[in-house]
């Protein structure tokens, strides 16, 4: 997919509406206060695709979208709210246009491929289109929330108690261990 | 509550805290009037025990503020726009000021007990002899009525109490003091510093001197202050009292004398002058909440509301005999507004230390003091600049602003990057009489006080410095052994925001001559001997080093002088 295709998604969307009748095979929903279940499910899936669990924690482990949900209530302005809506709408519209499927109904490998294309397009050309901007915004938020979480910062030390500017890695790790709590 | 005191201090920030401490310790019943809210120490508003994930909104300022047009200037400042300490900064929507549309001025304020002593970056340097001689030598501004030697004992005095960490560097233009032990340089900083010192006779890179207790002495522990824990969270307030602030140090010292009264939410709008006795007799206070007006009287009055605010109070102190403001017989009140300026610097990598690491977050960086004094002929501009910066080694991160998803995007996150090193200039702006603060002719704030109107810009002398500083920054990094050097500077045709360095000075300059200056050698106004101004407004030039230590020394010196005059019956 290229950014041009992505950019047309908004138009396609107006024909397919908000997708209230999308099938939502999800256990998510109970703890979300801002996002309706289908939005929460899409965002959670996207976050997990962007930052999967590998040898380090993923966005699901750090409950990134749950935190985003709280940010929407207390922090987000209209711009971010709109951008997230735009992102979800564009994603759904594009999935329909290209795969004749709702995003969540696509098989996992297809969803991943799809997101990879969106990502590549969003960082190459046509940076000013609504879908590109909204994707970049969502991506930034997901990465920010994930990488400021406790689990993603295993060697953060709140109160180092001392400064030393020339130690080996082994000594550094020992100091982290000693001073973590 | 009594309305009559021996002394009144307007403002409780860095300089006001010092005035209060010195006056109270000398036995004067002192009233501190602070326009902001009261804060305890430690305060429930401090956020220094919050890990990144504990911080509200993970440190991001609510977007709603943008929509409401709040904190727009603070946002332009960039690094200070963080949710965990935004409560210590003023929103100009609530407290507006004005400037010409094409020449914005950045006025960063902190309206609370303690003022900006809560959020300052604590860099503390004595000014050197050349800084006090500069105006006399090149004829810009008003000659300082004092020299370094007049202030040296007072630097000793304030450093000992505040607790300044630093090395004995032995540099001619940056006098040493009785410092607490210095912070250690990182291996990368040591390397760059050694190379610079080897390659230049005149340029030196030293560890930053700062008001963080690298160790404690009795004078600190007796106030409940503890050793710095290397967190570098100082702008959030410090529950250990390990950096110098009015809340951790000067106000508690004043309080324990039993002579201190503090009144918060008290906006001083003007100083009342008696033309017969030629004395300032009262200050007029408007209650922040009720807008009720009250008068307080004292034998001496210290204005410490910060450079622009103290000047503004004097400008607003209009009467039949002082139609253009109090202490303005020279017509110079509100002139010579200055600030340091940046706008050029460089960064690079420091090779060779990939197996070395730092532990802890030291609350200071490095300093390269001004090495360009007295070189007008050769360099084509007056005065000079220094650099501040530092080296760091961090782990790679992914902020989601580049391509890549999944395991591929994660790979490399958390890997150690190589050491990087960067410096930014601090230039000395010449004192220009027509860089001014005035009362706005029509606009007023919520308390009916005319807005401060700031009209300041840099000139060709400063532009030349910016161009030279970029060249020097690259030279310094190259000589320092850095690689991958990149430099930047603001283009000549772009407005340089005066106030951007938060070191605003001038407005009520000191000088010998009452016809060309506002204050005498003891910070007394020429026109009312019992009225002192000892914050940044008094500065006749702005040097290149961070100024607050100098405000402290000037304040302590002036307070002691005021007490002597009172004892002699002269006030
Ligand atoms: C982010 C930041 C970093 C800084 N870093 C450094 C540094 O590293 N080194 C350095 O030397 N300086 C630094 N500064 C500058 C330093 O904070 C100021 O120079 C210093 O605080 C000035 O002291 P002051 O007493 O004049 O004013 P302030 O500390 O600003 O205090 C003024 C007080 O007066 C009160 N006030 C104002 N108007 C009125 C009124 N009308 N009535 C009653 N009260 C009033 C205010 O509410 C405030 O509490 C920094 C500042 C900031 C914001
Ligand atoms: S670095 Fe030191 S002074 Fe700053 S907040 Fe931490 S303990 Fe306090």
């Amino acid at each position: 997919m290229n950014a041009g295709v992505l950019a047309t998604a908004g138009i396609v969307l107006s024909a397919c509406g908000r997708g209230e009748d999308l099938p939502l095979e999800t256990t998510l929903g109970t703890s979300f206060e801002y996002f309706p279940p289908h939005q929460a499910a899409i965002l959670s899936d996207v976050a997990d695709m962007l930052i999967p669990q590998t040898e380090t924690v993923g966005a699901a482990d750090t409950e990134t979208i749950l935190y985003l949900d709280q940010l929407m209530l207390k922090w987000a302005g209209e711009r971010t709210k709109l951008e997230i809506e735009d992102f979800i709408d564009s994603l759904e519209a594009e999935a329909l246009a290209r795969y004749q499927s709702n995003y969540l109904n696509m098989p996992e490998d297809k969803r991943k491929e799809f997101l990879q294309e969106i990502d590549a397009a969003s960082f190459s050309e046509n940076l000013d289109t609504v879908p590109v901007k909204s994707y970049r915004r969502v991506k930034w938020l997901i990465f920010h929330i994930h990488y400021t979480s406790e689990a993603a910062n295993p060697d953060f030390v709140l109160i180092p108690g001392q400064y030393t500017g020339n130690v080996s890695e082994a000594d550094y790790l020992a100091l982290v261990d000693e001073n973590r709590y | 509550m009594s309305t009559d005191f021996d002394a009144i201090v307007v403002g409780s920030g860095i300089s006001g805290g010092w005035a209060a401490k010195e006056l109270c310790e000398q036995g004067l019943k002192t009233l501190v009037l602070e326009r902001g809210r009261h804060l305890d120490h430690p305060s429930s508003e401090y956020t220094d025990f919050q890990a990144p994930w504990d911080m509200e909104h993970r440190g991001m300022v609510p977007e709603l503020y943008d929509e409401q047009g709040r904190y727009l200037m603070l946002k332009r400042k960039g690094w200070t726009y963080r949710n965990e300490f935004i409560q210590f900064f003023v929103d100009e929507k609530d407290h507006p000021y004005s400037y010409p549309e094409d020449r914005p001025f950045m006025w960063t304020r902190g309206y609370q007990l303690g003022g900006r002593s809560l959020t300052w970056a604590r860099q503390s340097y004595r000014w050197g002899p050349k800084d006090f001689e500069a105006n006399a030598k090149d004829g810009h501004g008003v000659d300082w009525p004092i020299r370094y030697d007049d202030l040296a004992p007072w630097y000793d005095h304030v450093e000992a109490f505040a607790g300044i960490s630093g090395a004995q560097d032995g540099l001619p233009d940056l006098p040493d003091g009785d410092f607490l032990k210095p912070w250690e340089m990182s291996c990368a900083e040591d390397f760059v510093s050694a190379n610079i010192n080897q390659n230049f006779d005149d340029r030196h890179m030293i560890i930053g001197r700062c008001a963080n207790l690298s160790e404690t002495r009795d004078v600190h522990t007796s106030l409940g202050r503890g050793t710095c824990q290397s967190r570098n969270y100082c702008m959030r307030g410090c529950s250990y009292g390990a950096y110098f602030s009015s809340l951790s140090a000067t106000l508690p010292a004043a309080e324990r004398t039993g002579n201190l009264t503090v009144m918060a939410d008290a906006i001083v709008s003007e100083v009342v002058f008696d033309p017969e006795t030629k004395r300032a007799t009262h200050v007029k206070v408007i209650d922040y909440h009720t807008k009720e007006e009250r008068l307080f009287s004292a034998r001496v009055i210290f204005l410490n509301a910060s450079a622009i605010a103290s000047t503004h109070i004097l400008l607003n102190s209009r009467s039949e005999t002082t139609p253009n403001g109090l202490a303005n017989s020279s017509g110079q009140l509100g002139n010579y507004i200055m600030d340091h300026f940046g706008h050029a610097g460089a960064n690079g990598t420091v090779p060779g230390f990939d197996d070395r690491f730092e532990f802890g977050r030291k609350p200071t960086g490095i300093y390269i003091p001004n090495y360009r004094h007295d070189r007008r002929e050769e360099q084509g501009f007056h005065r000079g600049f220094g650099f501040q910066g530092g080296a760091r080694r961090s782990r790679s991160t992914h902020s989601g602003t580049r391509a890549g998803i999944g395991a591929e995007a994660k790979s490399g996150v958390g890997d150690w990057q190589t050491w990087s090193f960067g410096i930014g200039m601090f230039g000395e702006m010449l004192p220009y009489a027509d860089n001014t603060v005035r009362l706005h002719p029509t606009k007023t704030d919520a308390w009916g006080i005319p807005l401060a109107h700031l009209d300041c810009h840099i000139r060709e002398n400063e532009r030349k410095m910016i161009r030279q500083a970029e060249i020097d920054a690259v030279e310094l990094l190259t000589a320092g052994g850095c690689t991958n050097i990149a430099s930047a500077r603001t283009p000549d045709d772009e407005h340089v925001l005066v106030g951007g360095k938060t070191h605003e000075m001038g407005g009520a300059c000191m000088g010998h001559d009452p016809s060309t200056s506002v204050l005498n050698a003891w910070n007394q106004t020429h026109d009312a001997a019992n009225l002192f101004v000892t914050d940044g407004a008094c500065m006749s030039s702005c040097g290149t080093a961070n100024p607050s230590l100098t405000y402290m020394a000037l304040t302590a010196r002036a307070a002691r002088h005021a007490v002597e005059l009172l004892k002699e019956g002269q006030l």
Side-chain angles (χ1 to χ4, degrees), chain B residues 10-16 33-36 77 79-80 89 108 110-117 119-124 235 266-269 304-307 309 313 501-503 535-536 546-549 551:
Chain B
V10 179
S12 64
I14 289 185
S15 66
L33 293 165
E34 167 54 52
R35 71 174 292 155
K77 201 169 177 66
W79 64 286
T80 48
F89 289 98
T108 309
Y111 289 168
Q112 61 260 326
L113 196 65
R116 289 177 294 177
S117 75
T119 53
W120 71 312
R122 308 158 313 282
Q123 294 299 299
S124 302
M235 284 175 75
I267 302 173
V268 172
S269 59
N304 295 100
S306 81
I313 291 170
K501 285 281 188 206
T502 336
H503 294 163
D535 55 25
N546 312 56
S548 303
L549 189 75
Y551 306 165

Side-chain angles (χ1 to χ4, degrees), chain B residues 367-433:
Chain B
Y367 189 46
I368 300 171
N370 182 9
Y371 46 86
R372 289 195 161 274
H373 296 280
D374 305 330
R375 293 192 187 171
R376 164 98 171 92
E377 294 305 310
E378 153 207 346
Q379 67 196 12
F381 54 82
H382 294 292
R383 317 281 170 110
F385 48 82
F387 288 98
Q388 299 187 18
R392 59 187 300 214
R393 182 163 201 206
S394 28
R395 288 183 184 273
S396 297
T397 175
H398 197 317
S399 60
T401 51
R402 56 177 196 268
I405 73 164
E408 177 217 330
K410 282 180 80 184
S411 78
V413 171
D415 291 353
W416 285 106
Q417 296 176 325
T418 97
W419 285 91
S420 64
F421 177 77
I423 52 175
M425 79 178 287
F426 277 64
E428 174 167 2
M429 186 173 172
L430 286 177
Y432 298 108

Side-chain angles (χ1 to χ4, degrees), chain A residues 60-116:
Chain A
D61 305 303
T62 57
E63 299 190 322
T64 289
I65 299 303
L66 208 53
Y67 193 82
L68 180 63
D69 187 69
Q70 289 303 305
L71 283 184
M72 301 309 286
L73 294 173
K74 298 179 194 143
W75 167 86
E78 281 312 307
R79 188 186 127 211
T80 294
K81 287 178 182 166
L82 268 178
E83 278 173 336
I84 293 182
E85 294 255 327
D86 281 341
F87 165 71
I88 294 169
D89 289 349
S90 301
L91 192 77
E92 285 289 54
E94 192 67 21
L96 270 179
R98 294 195 57 198
Y99 299 97
Q100 292 75 50
S101 167
N102 300 314
Y103 172 78
L104 287 174
N105 282 350
M106 288 162 58
E108 186 181 336
D109 58 336
K110 281 278 169 237
R111 298 203 305 277
K112 189 168 175 196
E113 195 185 302
F114 183 40
L115 271 180
Q116 244 153 3

Side-chain angles (χ1 to χ4, degrees), chain B residues 1 42 129 139 165 184 191 211 269 299 334 388 393 398 422 455 457 468 470 552 554 560-561:
Chain B
M1 178 184 168
S165 67
E184 186 182 312
F191 169 79
S269 59
R299 288 195 286 160
Q388 299 187 18
R393 182 163 201 206
H398 197 317
D455 187 354
H457 63 285
Q468 186 63 49
E470 185 186 18
M552 297 188 209
L554 285 166
R560 201 60 68 84
H561 185 66

